[in-house]
Amino acid sequence: MAATFHLRCEVNLQQCAMQLRNATYNPRCRNGSVLRIRLVDPTPLCAEFWPGGEACIKSCKANAEELRVIARRLARMIQKCGHPNAKFSAFRVYNLQAQARLGFPVRLEAVAKKWERHCMYEPEVTNCLQFFLAEPRCSLQIYGTGTVAVKGAAGMPEAQEALRKVYPLLREFSR
């Protein structure tokens, strides 16, 4: 899961990097000026801050509520680094990843042949079939064992809706 939020102020990244533990800032890096903060509690994650006050939380295995609490904690850390006007705002979860088991194996070649406009299957490259949905906008990685990974959904209801739409299609191609 990943999320973004804003601090509604300009942030001096070098000052924050000097005062925070587990923070790295390298202005000569090819990415430009980005402050990275690693947190371990309550869940391991990496947060990136830009000088304009934008922030992004990546590689997090937490639900949306926990992610919101973590983002508020990060905003509070920036406030304590000498930016008292930093306010937490515009929180948005933008990448949910969910996994489900269908309970039956799937013939990927047959699915790829029938739904070629909606999927991509290269058995020489990877062992999964990529199935793209327009509504809800997300992609599904379908494995021959019957495991489905939903990627790019905005929330859990969208991931469940995507699985509800694809399940009858995949049931047709069960072994």
Side-chain angles (χ1 to χ4, degrees), residues 51-99:
E54 296 178 32
C56 178
I57 300 173
K58 297 180 180 177
S59 64
C60 182
K61 293 185 178 182
N63 60 26
E65 294 82 25
E66 290 173 347
L67 206 54
R68 185 176 183 85
V69 170
I70 291 167
R72 289 184 64 85
R73 182 185 298 170
L74 288 166
R76 183 70 178 133
M77 291 167 74
I78 297 296
Q79 280 180 346
K80 289 182 179 181
C81 288
H83 298 88
N85 55 351
K87 305 283 186 230
F88 173 76
S89 67
F91 177 78
R92 182 176 72 92
V93 175
Y94 69 89
N95 189 11
L96 173 87
Q97 298 181 3
Q99 190 170 3

Side-chain angles (χ1 to χ4, degrees), residues 68-175:
R68 185 176 183 85
V69 170
I70 291 167
R72 289 184 64 85
R73 182 185 298 170
L74 288 166
R76 183 70 178 133
M77 291 167 74
I78 297 296
Q79 280 180 346
K80 289 182 179 181
C81 288
H83 298 88
N85 55 351
K87 305 283 186 230
F88 173 76
S89 67
F91 177 78
R92 182 176 72 92
V93 175
Y94 69 89
N95 189 11
L96 173 87
Q97 298 181 3
Q99 190 170 3
R101 295 204 34 91
L102 298 174
F104 54 86
V106 180
R107 293 186 316 238
L108 299 179
E109 297 86 7
V111 175
K113 191 171 184 179
K114 183 172 182 184
W115 296 95
E116 62 184 284
R117 293 191 55 172
H118 297 279
C119 63
M120 182 174 66
Y121 180 57
E122 293 290 335
E124 296 86 14
V125 178
T126 182
N127 63 342
C128 68
L129 177 133
Q130 294 280 337
F131 199 93
F132 303 101
L133 287 176
E135 187 61 41
R137 186 175 170 153
C138 62
S139 65
L140 291 93
Q141 288 182 340
I142 304 165
Y143 295 89
T145 59
T147 303
V148 178
V150 182
K151 308 234 179 207
M156 195 54 119
E158 288 85 1
Q160 290 171 342
E161 179 65 26
L163 199 55
R164 257 188 237 110
K165 284 186 173 183
V166 173
Y167 184 83
L169 307 176
L170 298 177
R171 188 69 188 161
E172 178 184 339
F173 298 102
S174 65
R175 290 186 194 167

Side-chain angles (χ1 to χ4, degrees), residues 36-48:
R36 288 183 179 84
I37 301 173
R38 290 210 178 270
L39 291 180
V40 179
D41 185 39
T43 179
L45 63 91
C46 177
E48 295 181 345

